[in-house]
Each structure stands twice: as C-alpha cells, then as structure tokens.
Amino acid sequence: MGNEPQIYQGDCLTVLNDLKLSDVSLVWTDVPYSRDTTGIEFGAEYQAFMLDRLTAVAETMAEKAPLVLCCSPPQIFLFKTVLDQTGLTYKGLHAWCSRASFYPSSVWNPSWEPLLLYGKGKLKMLVKEGGIPDVNYNDSSVFTRPRNKEHPGEKPLGLVKKYIIASTRPGDLILDPFMGTGTTLRAAKDLGRRAVGIETDSRHCGQAVSRLSQEVLGI
C-alpha cells in the first residue's frame, strides 16, 4: 500500500474481509445512524448490523491501537453495548463541543457529541503531560461544525487531526470504515499518515476524492 489514501466503495464488512488488514494504528469513524444509510431502524437489527462490522474493524487493529467512534448522545449506551462485544476495551468517553446542534433548533437538543474511546489492549502513549505537540488548543475550527449540505454530520478536520497526532506517527495506517466525505482521510494525508476509507454512498466517495485532490490547508 502506498502513502496516498485508499478509498473503497462498498460495505465495510465485505471490503475488510477482502483487504485483510492487521496493522491499523487508529480507527476514527462517525457511524451511520439514519435509515437512509443503513436501510434499518434502531433496535436489535441495527445493533446486530453494527456488531458484525465493528467486530471486523477490531480485527484489523494492531495491539495498543485506539478506536474513536462518534455517535449521537442518545446512542452512547447502544454503542457501548455493541463495542463491549467486539473484544476491544472501553477506555473512556470524550465530548466534542460543537457550538451548534446537529438537530433542529430546540432548547432540549445538545450542542455536543460523544466520542467513545476503545482500545486493543493497553493503549500506547505517544503524548506525555503537557499536551499534544503542534496542536493549537485555541483553534476555533475544532469547535465549529462544517456546513456541508450533502453530509450534515461532517466533523471538523481539526478535530480528527488532534487524535491522529496524539496516537499515531507518520507512516502509520488509519482506518475509517464509515468514511462519509473523507474528513479522516484528508486529515491523515495532511499529516503524512496512510489511510483507508470505506463508504457505501457513491456521492460521498466522489466528495472524498475531490477533497483529497485539493492542496493541503492548515487547521
């Protein structure tokens, strides 16, 4: 595999079976949670659908590799139940404060989203006390939700970069099994990491290809 990010259109369960990856240093993904992308509602069928795919993802991870999974606040317990069955170990719950709700305007809708952190065994520690080198903690782009009408759930490039810098080295392999418009791959390319992205939606794959052909921009 070269250094250019690799995009695969299809179901990650099938694609991962074909690729047979085993050296993934970081999984970063924002899971599909609408019936438009999965074809199924929440509930037992959805949990089984995600368990099959996240178990396949876990099998690609190197020892001490982390998995960061974005979901909606009501789904925290659903995905913890699923991930606890994959063989990975729960490491914590992070919060992305987005300053704007993904949901229609309402006082009850949250302006934050959970990031579930799991690991394959004990997580490697690349960052010591004092923070992450080369990260601007006052960078407002990390907290601003991108305005993408084609993919309203898109996460900021700077947010993904923080985790990549914190947990991987240049040349390491990053996997996003639910790639969307390619934010993870763009971040990986900017930082000199290899990456594999998998997405069922051809429109999103096209957007990802366009983003990866752009010049590198700072966060």
Side-chain angles (χ1 to χ4, degrees):
M1 174 189 238
N3 290 327
E4 283 296 311
Q6 304 294 307
I7 294 175
Y8 296 89
Q9 183 182 350
D11 187 328
C12 66
L13 187 63
T14 302
V15 174
L16 291 176
N17 182 61
D18 292 339
L19 292 179
K20 302 188 185 306
L21 302 175
S22 60
D23 60 341
V24 171
S25 294
L26 167 67
V27 176
W28 170 280
T29 197
D30 192 356
V31 294
Y33 42 79
S34 72
R35 65 183 308 176
D36 290 339
T37 52
T38 63
I40 52 179
E41 298 280 6
F42 297 141
E45 186 181 358
Y46 179 76
Q47 290 190 44
F49 173 91
M50 293 305 303
L51 177 58
D52 286 344
R53 284 147 186 82
L54 291 174
T55 299
V57 168
E59 293 174 354
T60 71
M61 296 166 61
E63 288 299 319
K64 300 185 178 180
L67 175 147
V68 181
L69 182 144
C70 310
C71 62
S72 65
Q75 289 183 300
I76 294 172
F77 300 107
L78 181 154
F79 276 104
K80 188 175 187 307
T81 298
V82 170
L83 284 166
D84 284 344
Q85 300 176 68
T86 63
L88 299 177
T89 303
Y90 175 70
K91 299 297 182 180
L93 176 66
H94 294 189
W96 171 49
C97 300
S98 61
R99 295 181 180 170
S101 175
F102 172 76
Y103 310 94
S105 179
S106 167
V107 69
W108 302 114
N109 290 328
S111 59
W112 71 281
E113 292 185 25
L115 308 174
L116 278 166
L117 177 63
Y118 274 73
K120 193 158 191 177
K122 184 178 180 181
L123 292 183
K124 56 190 172 186
M125 291 294 294
L126 298 184
V127 180
K128 306 300 181 183
E129 291 184 13
I132 303 171
D134 303 322
V135 166
N136 177 6
Y137 285 92
N138 296 315
D139 179 8
S140 62
S141 69
V142 173
F143 305 100
T144 303
R145 184 181 296 281
R147 296 184 177 181
N148 186 339
K149 293 182 180 180
E150 296 296 325
H151 198 295
E154 184 178 301
K155 299 299 183 290
L157 191 63
L159 176 67
V160 183
K161 285 186 176 182
K162 287 180 182 291
Y163 283 86
I164 291 176
I165 293 170
S167 60
T168 66
R169 295 184 174 91
D172 282 352
L173 178 60
I174 296 168
L175 170 65
D176 188 342
F178 305 103
M179 179 188 67
T181 58
T183 302
T184 302
L185 272 63
R186 178 74 256 184
K189 182 175 181 178
D190 288 355
L191 295 170
R193 274 66 166 175
R194 298 176 296 138
V196 168
I198 306 170
E199 172 60 44
T200 59
D201 192 315
S202 61
R203 295 170 302 168
H204 294 336
C205 286
Q207 285 186 300
V209 169
S210 296
R211 294 182 74 181
L212 291 170
S213 66
Q214 296 172 355
E215 293 298 318
V216 176
L217 301 174
I219 65 173

